[in-house]
Amino acid sequence: MKLSLSSSLYSRSKSTYQNSLKPFLYSTSTVNSSTIAWSDPLYRRISPLGDNRVSVVPVLDQWVQEGRFVDRTQLRLIIKELKVYRRFQQALEISQWMSDKGYIPVSFADAATRLRLIFRVHGLEQVEKYFNYLPRQLKGYEVYASLLNCYADEKSVEKAESVMQKLGDMGFDRSPFCYNILLNLYCRIGSREKVDSLMHEMEEKGCCNEYTFAILSSAYAAASDSDGIDGIVEKIESYPRVMMKYSYAIAADGYLKVGQLDRALEMLKKLEGHIATEKRKSILFPILLTLYTKTGNKDELYRIWNLYKENVKIYNKGYLTMLSSLSKFNDIEGAEKIFKEWKSRGLSYDFRIPNFLIDAYSRNGHLGKAEALLHNGIQKGGNPDGTTWYYLTGGYILDNQVPKAAEALKKAIMVLSPRLRLSKDTLVTCLEYLEGKGDVDRAEEFISLLRTEGIFSAAVHEKLLNYIKNRK
């Protein structure tokens, strides 16, 4: 079967390969990193520094001054955990501290990780500077694969192809991982000729795996091409060596996007058929929860949740997925029961879990309950994130407590930074309140904070400041 794609491919969204599949595409172990990280006393010191602008170097230096030991595995796990929470600047600091202090020499894997962190924090130019600075003996497969990933994220096609050629020259031209990165890039730029050519090469070299078909399934879904998804399902089932279960997940998601519910449910049943033999059940069940939520059937959601509890011990990630699913159904009563169950487990306090209820309470006029959850979480050692404060901002506005809303929004901006998607109405309400109180200086400070955190462009920042100054 020839794989050809429509020219509109990936014009509307990023690959599900990068999003829905991310939890298991890059996982090589069933170890729960969060559980390990929270058992580490060094991580417990670093974790409360939730503001990404706060340096973790003093904490690391103090740790060593106390005569405590650090090792590569410990620091790698902390970096991995910080990446989960998008605290890339702090993760990069740890990566640099490891080698700059001379405690731990840089390995291939450490250099590859640092490349990706530099890309997240400083962009491609600094990535290339670091790569050129690396000694030749460190420029192995991991580093080139990481560089390829950076170029792919930036849609730098020629540079990505050049790196792929280098990997081929080094003898790594049978790596499905790197081929999949390049295939995903071609899908994102909508180049059907390059996709077909690369797929032909991959099939000749036997480099196709389940992620290859996941990328193509996602691409067809983005193009609303149900026939293409049918072809991919047919293709993966002809590959006995391919772990097709996760391709079924992507196919199900694709069918849901094009409105073919029956075909989606068929894929989900096939996916469920792998439960008995699946070793990484803690990965499979959250995927099933998410997809059954998209079918709109709450009874099926609860059925999968009960299967989840019967088969494995559930940690924070599972509760996060279930609460997120229940929020889609606006099932506050159900969410309260799941939250109560989570609290009884005594797991590490992750504020993302109560955030679902804080949001629901704030939107539905139960501000007292939302505040109670906030204070209780802080008492338990949790750290409210930007989302927590943003949800409370909306609740305060609905309750006509605009002074509190302004303060909560300021906290949200400081913690969440550019990831915060501000509601225009929320922002206007807070600014009008400050202006109405005659507190023009605080309004200017507020607007400057929005600019500093990258939430406003320079042009918008200037217009707002001029407006406030003119009113002054």
Side-chain angles (χ1 to χ4, degrees), residues 131-357:
F131 176 80
N132 292 332
Y133 161 81
L134 281 174
R136 186 175 180 179
Q137 63 267 27
L138 277 178
K139 292 180 180 178
Y141 167 75
E142 294 98 329
V143 169
Y144 274 104
S146 184
L147 182 62
L148 174 64
N149 231 337
C150 294
Y151 285 140
D153 283 351
E154 200 73 6
K155 296 184 181 179
S156 297
V157 177
E158 289 184 6
K159 289 184 177 181
E161 290 173 339
S162 175
V163 172
M164 194 68 183
Q165 180 61 53
K166 179 65 176 178
L167 285 164
D169 295 341
M170 295 167 66
F172 297 113
D173 58 347
R174 293 183 180 273
S175 165
F177 177 73
C178 291
Y179 268 112
N180 285 335
I181 291 173
L182 196 59
L183 181 67
N184 190 45
L185 170 59
Y186 290 159
C187 285
R188 289 174 62 203
I189 64 172
S191 177
R192 98 188 220 186
E193 294 81 6
K194 286 181 179 289
V195 168
D196 287 342
S197 175
L198 189 62
M199 272 301 300
H200 179 71
E201 183 180 341
M202 291 174 72
E203 289 188 307
E204 280 192 336
K205 292 183 177 180
C207 291
C208 298
N209 62 11
E210 67 273 26
Y211 312 129
T212 306
F213 300 120
I215 295 168
L216 293 172
S217 296
S218 301
Y220 284 123
S224 300
D225 186 349
S226 58
D227 290 338
I229 300 172
D230 289 340
I232 291 300
V233 172
E234 178 185 335
K235 189 75 171 175
I236 63 174
E237 292 184 333
S238 70
Y239 272 70
R241 292 178 299 159
V242 171
M243 294 188 305
M244 63 185 73
K245 53 185 173 292
Y246 297 124
S247 294
Y248 285 141
I250 293 297
D253 194 46
Y255 283 127
L256 286 169
K257 286 177 180 175
V258 298
Q260 292 200 11
L261 180 60
D262 290 342
R263 289 289 282 148
L265 291 172
E266 182 184 337
M267 295 298 105
L268 287 176
K269 291 301 179 185
K270 288 186 176 185
L271 184 59
E272 279 189 59
H274 289 276
I275 289 175
T277 57
E278 174 56 57
K279 293 181 179 179
R280 299 187 294 176
K281 291 182 174 65
S282 60
I283 293 173
L284 182 57
F285 276 108
I287 294 170
L288 284 167
L289 289 174
T290 299
L291 290 172
Y292 271 113
T293 299
K294 290 182 178 182
T295 69
N297 191 325
K298 191 164 67 172
D299 290 339
E300 286 292 277
L301 174 67
Y302 276 108
R303 180 181 66 81
I304 295 297
W305 177 250
N306 290 329
L307 273 177
Y308 195 173
K309 292 193 289 185
E310 290 170 11
N311 279 271
V312 292
K313 193 172 184 179
I314 304 177
Y315 292 97
N316 282 352
K317 179 181 177 181
Y319 285 103
L320 279 167
T321 306
M322 184 60 178
L323 285 167
S324 175
S325 296
L326 291 173
S327 70
K328 303 291 194 304
F329 292 102
N330 200 28
D331 185 357
I332 297 177
E333 184 179 345
E336 287 174 332
K337 290 179 180 177
I338 298 297
F339 179 72
K340 184 177 180 181
E341 181 182 315
W342 170 74
K343 283 209 308 182
S344 71
R345 291 283 313 281
L347 300 171
S348 61
Y349 205 96
D350 185 337
F351 241 102
R352 291 178 299 169
I353 292 175
N355 273 353
F356 290 106
L357 278 174

Side-chain angles (χ1 to χ4, degrees), residues 4 17 23 59 62 161 187 195 223 314 336 421 461:
S4 58
Y17 166 73
V59 175
Q62 178 65 31
E161 290 173 339
C187 285
V195 168
I314 304 177
E336 287 174 332
R421 294 184 177 180
H461 169 251

